[in-house]
Amino acid sequence: MPETPHTAGPAATAGPARAPRTPRPGQEHVARAADGGGLGAVDAVSTTDAPAGFWREAWRGMRRRPLFWVSGAIIVLVLLVAALPDLFSATDPRSCVLANALDGPTGGHPFGFDRQGCDIFSRTMHGARASVTVGVLTTALVVVVGTLVGALAGYFGGWADTILSRVTDIFFAIPLVLAAIVIMSISRDRTALTVALVLASFGWTNIARITRGTVMSVKTNEFVTAARSLGMGRTAILFRHVLPNAAAPIIVYATVALGTFIVAEATLSFLGIGLPPSTVSWGGDISQAQGAIRTNPEILFYPAGALALTVLGFIMMGDVVRDALDPKARTR
């Protein structure tokens, strides 16, 4: 009897049909509708826009912070007062009438008069010029000297690094204010330039150490190796490639240091060894007002408040600049 041929296929091997599984409550699957735009529209990247540079990104980060605008407004106001004090007060700060001594505020004299009968508002406005001038000059000298010493030590290394680092350590061990007091006490020329030179002579060490460490980090990057392979000299590489890429911490320190040097000048003038009494300055006015601090504290409050507000503005700006120029701070 012939055998019936066996037909292989799904119908022959398939078992009994399985009923569709009914999902339990809470296990229903929800499918999202397909995006009509497609992945290409989502992942499209514009190739025509120029990439934002480091400084542009820093500017974008700063202008978004209210602290930047507050500190900027304070700094602009202080600089404007220092440059054009007559724009805010037409009264001569050296014109004093003893009959007006310790009088309160009157018309045209909103802060009243000090013990010598001088207009406190006028002296506060004109005192900004001397203090800010010393701070700006000292900061400029410190940046030039400290950057040069730190860059040479960090980039060339070897014996140059050893000598410059030991010299920096010697000056770093000398307290800034104490050294300035000793030198200014024996100095006959007590101008703003003299005070700036004395402060800069002992205040450049911090920025030198900062610059040295930054330059040592930058000089190992690939673009420095590429410039060296193209035949560029070591000095050219230092000033064209290394220093521009190491400028961020230098700018941050200079912003904060400016307020520090303004305080140092006020300290010397307060002790009577800074600017001469003929020069109107906040430190000199604070020194003269300390005798009446119990009876008339407002005489001390106005120049001290102007000094504190100025330093606060530069410190806040330094914090904003530091956060903007620090890539790690921007990613946090």
Side-chain angles (χ1 to χ4, degrees):
M1 183 176 180
E3 296 181 0
T4 303
H6 179 73
T7 304
T13 60
R18 301 176 64 179
R21 183 180 179 182
T22 303
R24 297 179 180 179
Q27 293 183 345
E28 296 82 359
H29 297 280
V30 179
R32 185 176 181 181
D35 189 1
L39 295 177
V42 177
D43 297 335
V45 178
S46 176
T47 59
T48 58
D49 297 337
F54 175 78
W55 298 105
R56 182 179 298 180
E57 287 293 334
W59 165 245
R60 290 177 181 176
M62 287 191 298
R63 68 184 183 183
R64 295 192 187 101
R65 300 188 58 182
L67 189 63
F68 168 74
W69 298 105
V70 174
S71 59
I74 295 175
I75 293 174
V76 170
L77 178 61
V78 170
L79 295 179
L80 185 61
V81 171
L84 301 171
D86 294 330
L87 186 65
F88 298 87
S89 177
T91 305
D92 186 1
R94 299 178 183 84
S95 177
C96 305
V97 180
L98 289 177
N100 298 329
L102 301 179
D103 285 350
T106 59
H109 309 282
F111 291 172
F113 301 87
D114 60 10
R115 300 179 65 180
Q116 284 74 34
C118 305
D119 183 16
I120 299 177
F121 179 78
S122 178
R123 293 188 65 86
T124 303
M125 295 297 105
H126 286 79
R129 172 173 293 181
S131 300
V132 173
T133 300
V134 172
V136 172
L137 288 176
T138 306
T139 304
L141 293 172
V142 162
V143 169
V144 172
V145 176
T147 301
L148 183 61
V149 173
L152 294 177
Y155 183 72
F156 291 101
W159 62 267
D161 185 18
T162 302
I163 295 176
L164 293 176
S165 296
R166 298 296 79 77
V167 172
T168 303
D169 293 340
I170 293 173
F171 279 87
F172 185 78
I174 303 175
L176 172 64
V177 177
L178 179 60
I181 291 174
V182 173
I183 295 179
M184 291 301 301
S185 61
I186 61 176
S187 176
R188 298 181 179 179
D189 187 15
R190 294 163 58 184
T191 62
L193 180 59
T194 304
V195 177
L197 288 173
V198 172
L199 292 176
S201 299
F202 299 92
W204 57 270
T205 55
N206 284 328
I207 198 169
R209 294 162 69 97
I210 294 173
T211 305
R212 176 181 176 273
T214 308
V215 168
M216 293 179 66
S217 170
V218 172
K219 74 176 184 178
T220 59
N221 291 338
E222 290 80 2
F223 61 87
V224 177
T225 305
R228 189 180 297 112
S229 64
L230 294 175
M232 183 175 293
R234 301 182 69 181
T235 304
I237 294 176
L238 173 61
F239 288 99
R240 293 184 183 180
H241 298 286
V242 176
L243 278 181
N245 288 276
I250 299 175
I251 295 175
V252 173
Y253 177 80
T255 306
V256 178
L258 203 156
T260 303
F261 291 130
I262 291 177
V263 173
E265 180 278 325
T267 303
L268 295 177
S269 298
F270 175 82
L271 297 175
I273 56 177
L275 297 176
S278 59
T279 302
V280 182
S281 66
W282 290 332
D285 288 350
I286 294 174
S287 177
Q288 295 178 5
Q290 63 178 338
I293 189 173
R294 294 185 177 180
T295 58
N296 300 87
E298 68 278 2
I299 300 177
L300 176 65
F301 171 77
Y302 293 117
L307 176 64
L309 184 64
T310 302
V311 176
L312 178 63
F314 284 106
I315 291 178
M316 291 192 302
M317 180 61 72
D319 291 339
V320 175
V321 173
R322 180 198 59 201
D323 295 340
L325 297 182
D326 186 5
K328 296 180 180 179
R330 290 204 301 268
T331 58
R332 287 196 293 265

